[in-house]
Amino acid sequence: MQKLKGLLFDGLKMEEDFITLYLKVIKDEGFLQYFPDQGKAKQLLQTLINESNWHKKTLEEIINAF
């Protein structure tokens, strides 16, 4: 059981890193300018951020259920 909880914490850390490091860097550092359709690129990036936040929230709920 402890190993499973450790894996869940690892997944939670990965989601946090994905949101803060990768997606926000892309959004904040101007990489979106390289996409021809700015509106679509922003929409898709926001979708990735929202889904990653949802994954993080789900992992937190599972961890708290232990």
Side-chain angles (χ1 to χ4, degrees), residues 22-59:
Y22 298 110
L23 296 179
K24 288 187 179 180
V25 165
I26 290 170
K27 189 176 182 180
D28 297 341
E29 296 298 323
F31 288 108
L32 289 176
Q33 69 182 340
Y34 299 106
F35 292 88
D37 185 346
Q38 294 290 298
K40 184 68 171 177
K42 287 178 183 178
Q43 177 190 10
L44 292 173
L45 182 60
Q46 190 58 53
T47 298
L48 286 172
I49 291 170
N50 292 345
E51 287 181 3
S52 190
N53 280 324
W54 181 78
H55 295 158
K56 180 182 170 195
K57 182 178 180 258
T58 301
L59 287 170

